[in-house]
Amino acid sequence: MALHLTPVRAALAAALSALMLVGAAPPAATGPAPAPPAATGPSAAPGAQAPASRAAVARAADWTPPLSTRGRWIVDADGDRFKLKSGNWHGASGTWTGSGDREDPANHHAGEKADRIPLGLDRAPITEIVDGFLELGLNSIRLPFSNEMVHDTRPVADASVAANPQLRGRTPLAVYDAAVTALTDAGLAVILNNHTNTTRWCCAVDGNERWNASRTDAEWEADWLFMARRYRDNPRVVGADLYNEVRRTVLDDPNWGRGDRHDWFAASQRVADRILREADPELLVIVEGINWTGIPVDGLPHGRPTLEPVRHLSHTLVRSGKLVYSAHFYGYTGPNHSGATGIGETTDPRYQDFTRGELLDVLNRQALYVAAEGDRHFTAPVWISEFGVGGRDEHGAKQRAWFENFVDHLVAADADFAYWPLVGWHQDRKGNGWALLHWDSAGRRAGVFDGDDWRAGAWSRLVGAHGRTGPVPVTDRWSMLAPDHADAVQSLRMRDAGDWDQGARKSACPDGQRLAGLSRTGNRGLCTDTAARDLWATGGRHEAVRDERHVPQGGDWASGYTKLQCPAGHFLTGWSVRGAAVSSALCAESRTALGTAARTVWFDRGDNRPANARGGEFAHGRYKGQCADDEYAAGIAYTTRIGSSGNPAALLCRKLG
């Protein structure tokens, strides 16, 4: 049925469709190029060299899966830092631009037709392509796919795998399998990336704006469980990058925490927990911030939230140490600039318009703070999983300066990164130009280290930067619980135990953590394992306390208030609410003797947290109470007297022992 839009909606659709909301690089400019500006900065030094291939292979293989996180760092199974030095091998998510004959390369981005598989397999053997990645100094690959590709049973055309005849007759998914195998056999880590719903070039108003734009939530989750299980036995498949560049449709914005079907925070939390519980408990789960909201017209609200909402609402997964956040940055976009020219272009600055210092400030505000600020509920590794710039034919002073500055900031932050894209086409060394490696129709390769690509120095500086290496100590964990719209039971033990307060919204700290803080309103909690790791006794009991049965005679620590107190030898690990009112306190049996010295922490009229309290702002704009690092919470007090709603008002905090 034809879609009839009102004039306003039609104009909005046209404007949004013109946007370049993602990081996919635009085609290189054509026509005479101005003389390149004088090179400046460290990367202008001559003699940039490609890493030796065999040495690169050794580096790629020298790590032990699976990967996990400790604070802001990703570590391998030996506890050694594993910095994601990655690139994007695109194609399986689609290159068709959405109009015209799919078989005509002219209707594919930059004329590069991938045929639903990783780009370049028609021009070079898969082993040659992978060796090229190793020569670049990479240890990991972000491998995009589309949901449509997962279900596509049509064999790829023979011409699309001309340089890899062993792949003839295979489905796109089977070719994707072969790419995964080739990468991991070379020692590279692979991060699966759900880039699009449909197999077409991303990203504008194209049916791929949200994870559920062209599929239901249930179908999207089922696809992720299928993909995670498919590669579960390959330990070098290390991550699930849940969805690429969530953005506005014609009529609706995505959001971070409203609880509706556009809520990216809730959807990513839900599927992450399902992957870790039902499919592969060893995967890193990568959550990208929101890429775009609002209408890109001067005077109307619009912008790129990226990871800014994480400061006040962060994920807590059922398995600690598995969360990574990600963000994308390109010079031609900006914190409030869509990246468009003409229709959809605003007067907001692009990232390439900022000075070096201004760029650092905006990068920190939008993303890097998540890793830079330790001991917060949101502290996690940040993977800049897309950034890039034009190569040989890029002579713009702003574009070049942006890339130099951006690389400098990545180096200074010791940030994990993934360049977009790795593979492209060229003819006589001309073409799209953004890729680091290009093959022509005869299979001849042009690479960033061939001596005529201005990016070589910056790239060498980035992959060769001296960052943190070696063992990373186990760090304290701080986690937020946010049962805003549904249960937040992040304990696997409690999920297996069943419904412990039927009809109430329930929250429980991840296994190994205890409840350290609560908010007066807003139903927010703070969990930690500081000073006492994995306090819950193996096989120990739990109890949902709904009355004052465990308050001893003479032990009234909150006079006039109802006190839900844990029995002796137990600590608080969760709570439940009905509406805004406390319903129960979840108590778990400790594996060690607990102290009994106690104090009451009231937070009914203001914040009551330790000086220099860790954990961060876990209930923004709300009154909060928090026990000290060497204490555990053993009870919650509330009242339902006239004028009160049964909100938490006090915590009973006791010394650990």
Side-chain angles (χ1 to χ4, degrees):
M1 186 170 97
L3 177 62
H4 297 284
L5 300 176
T6 67
V8 172
R9 290 185 179 182
L12 175 57
L16 288 172
S17 294
L19 301 185
M20 303 177 72
L21 296 180
V22 307
T30 59
T40 59
S43 70
Q49 297 292 322
S53 178
R54 292 305 100 194
V57 172
R59 283 200 303 275
D62 190 20
W63 59 283
T64 307
L67 301 182
S68 58
T69 70
R70 292 181 179 177
R72 65 137 294 176
W73 310 103
I74 297 172
V75 299
D76 72 1
D78 297 323
D80 292 328
R81 197 270 174 101
F82 185 88
K83 181 176 182 176
L84 291 176
K85 299 182 179 183
S86 320
N88 286 268
W89 188 10
H90 76 295
S93 56
T95 52
W96 180 58
T97 56
S99 62
D101 182 3
R102 289 176 183 260
E103 299 306 312
D104 185 350
N107 298 321
H108 291 253
H109 178 72
E112 298 173 343
K113 180 176 177 290
D115 196 21
R116 305 162 288 146
I117 59 176
L119 191 68
L121 296 176
D122 59 331
R123 301 186 170 212
I126 195 168
T127 53
E128 179 183 323
I129 294 173
V130 172
D131 281 347
F133 299 161
L134 295 170
E135 291 172 20
L136 291 171
L138 303 178
N139 61 16
S140 45
I141 299 296
R142 183 177 184 244
L143 195 61
F145 68 88
S146 74
N147 299 93
E148 183 181 5
M149 184 217 77
V150 172
H151 299 276
D152 193 340
T153 59
R154 296 170 296 158
V156 300
D158 287 353
S160 298
V161 290
N164 293 271
Q166 75 278 13
L167 301 179
R168 289 177 181 169
R170 298 197 188 185
T171 64
L173 181 57
V175 175
Y176 189 92
D177 290 341
V180 170
T181 299
L183 292 165
T184 57
D185 282 353
L188 290 158
V190 171
I191 295 93
L192 311 174
N193 163 232
N194 186 192
H195 207 73
T196 53
N197 287 174
T198 64
T199 309
R200 61 170 290 184
W201 184 253
C202 177
C203 299
V205 181
D206 55 8
N208 295 305
E209 302 89 347
R210 295 192 311 270
W211 63 99
N212 56 6
S214 298
R215 303 185 69 74
T216 66
D217 288 272
E219 288 171 332
W220 177 67
E221 292 178 22
D223 284 350
W224 257 123
L225 295 179
F226 170 82
M227 291 295 279
R229 289 169 180 149
R230 188 174 186 86
Y231 305 108
R232 179 169 50 196
D233 294 332
N234 187 336
R236 291 187 185 272
V237 176
V238 299
D241 185 349
L242 297 181
Y243 203 71
N244 183 73
E245 299 194 355
V246 174
R247 58 198 183 277
R248 182 184 175 90
T249 62
V250 172
L251 298 178
D252 296 299
D253 281 328
N255 66 80
W256 192 272
R258 293 183 186 171
D260 58 21
R261 68 180 305 269
H262 303 156
D263 185 347
W264 173 229
F265 171 82
S268 54
Q269 173 81 50
R270 185 174 60 249
V271 77
D273 285 343
R274 291 197 67 191
I275 289 169
L276 293 173
R277 191 170 186 224
E278 302 175 36
D280 188 348
E282 303 295 355
L283 286 178
L284 293 176
V285 176
I286 296 99
V287 180
E288 188 180 332
I290 292 176
N291 187 259
W292 187 264
T293 62
I295 302 171
V297 174
D298 284 336
L300 295 179
H302 57 267
R304 198 177 305 278
T306 319
L307 295 176
E308 293 184 64
V310 174
R311 182 177 291 279
H312 296 142
L313 181 58
S314 63
H315 293 75
T316 295
L317 306 185
V318 292
R319 293 189 184 276
S320 298
K322 290 298 180 181
L323 174 67
V324 175
Y325 284 112
S326 74
H328 296 175
F329 292 99
Y330 290 89
Y332 66 89
T333 66
N336 297 97
H337 200 298
S338 69
T341 57
I343 297 175
E345 184 173 12
T346 61
T347 58
D348 303 290
R350 303 171 190 261
Y351 292 114
Q352 65 196 28
D353 295 328
F354 292 119
T355 66
R356 183 182 178 90
E358 290 169 340
L359 179 62
L360 177 59
D361 288 343
V362 75
L363 295 179
N364 285 337
R365 171 172 59 83
Q366 291 200 289
L368 296 179
Y369 79 90
V370 174
E373 298 181 26
D375 289 324
R376 306 291 198 271
H377 63 84
F378 55 75
T379 304
V382 173
W383 185 35
I384 306 303
S385 54
E386 283 189 28
F387 72 103
V389 71
R392 291 168 180 81
D393 291 331
E394 179 55 81
H395 301 297
K398 280 190 174 183
Q399 290 85 341
R400 287 191 172 202
W402 171 81
F403 189 70
E404 296 284 357
N405 290 334
F406 189 79
V407 165
D408 285 347
H409 293 325
L410 290 181
V411 170
D414 199 4
D416 301 83
F417 60 85
Y419 185 88
W420 179 284
L422 290 177
V423 176
W425 292 2
H426 80 94
Q427 199 62 38
D428 297 327
R429 308 184 79 79
K430 300 291 184 181
N432 181 19
W434 278 57
L436 297 179
L437 301 171
H438 295 85
W439 280 266
D440 70 10
S441 56
R444 291 182 292 261
R445 195 187 82 173
V448 69
F449 291 118
D450 288 355
D452 59 347
D453 193 320
W454 68 273
R455 299 170 298 176
W459 182 256
S460 293
R461 189 166 77 255
L462 180 59
V463 295
H466 295 292
R468 177 166 188 163
T469 60
V472 176
V474 175
T475 57
D476 294 339
R477 298 192 189 280
W478 298 89
S479 304
M480 171 189 282
L481 293 177
D484 298 17
H485 309 287
D487 288 350
V489 178
Q490 299 313 111
S491 162
L492 289 169
R493 291 179 68 166
M494 290 311 304
R495 289 196 180 200
D496 290 340
D499 193 339
W500 42 273
D501 193 353
Q502 190 170 9
R505 272 198 331 279
K506 296 166 283 294
S507 295
C509 294
D511 296 333
Q513 298 186 42
R514 65 186 187 276
L515 193 66
L518 280 177
S519 65
R520 170 69 170 159
T521 57
N523 296 319
R524 294 292 171 83
L526 180 68
C527 304
T528 190
D529 64 357
T530 188
R533 312 266 188 233
D534 200 10
L535 197 56
W536 197 342
T538 302
R541 62 189 294 267
H542 69 271
E543 181 179 349
V545 177
R546 299 183 179 85
D547 54 36
E548 295 190 341
R549 69 184 64 190
H550 298 301
V551 179
Q553 187 173 1
D556 189 351
W557 50 272
S559 179
Y561 284 70
T562 301
K563 293 164 284 293
L564 306 183
Q565 183 172 333
C566 293
H570 290 62
F571 62 94
L572 268 175
T573 190
W575 81 103
S576 62
V577 296
R578 296 177 188 273
V582 176
S583 176
S584 69
L586 180 64
C587 303
E589 184 178 4
S590 175
R591 63 177 174 80
T592 61
L594 295 173
T596 57
R599 67 188 180 101
T600 302
V601 174
W602 290 96
F603 52 96
D604 55 335
R605 298 182 182 179
D607 279 3
N608 191 350
R609 306 175 70 197
N612 301 316
R614 297 190 292 164
E617 184 65 66
F618 68 91
H620 179 65
R622 314 281 184 169
Y623 294 158
K624 297 168 288 295
Q626 183 176 335
C627 298
D629 287 0
D630 62 349
E631 295 177 325
Y632 68 98
I636 304 170
Y638 69 94
T639 181
T640 54
R641 65 193 177 198
I642 296 175
S644 300
S645 301
N647 305 109
L651 284 171
L652 177 63
C653 297
R654 287 178 161 169
K655 291 289 185 182
L656 279 165

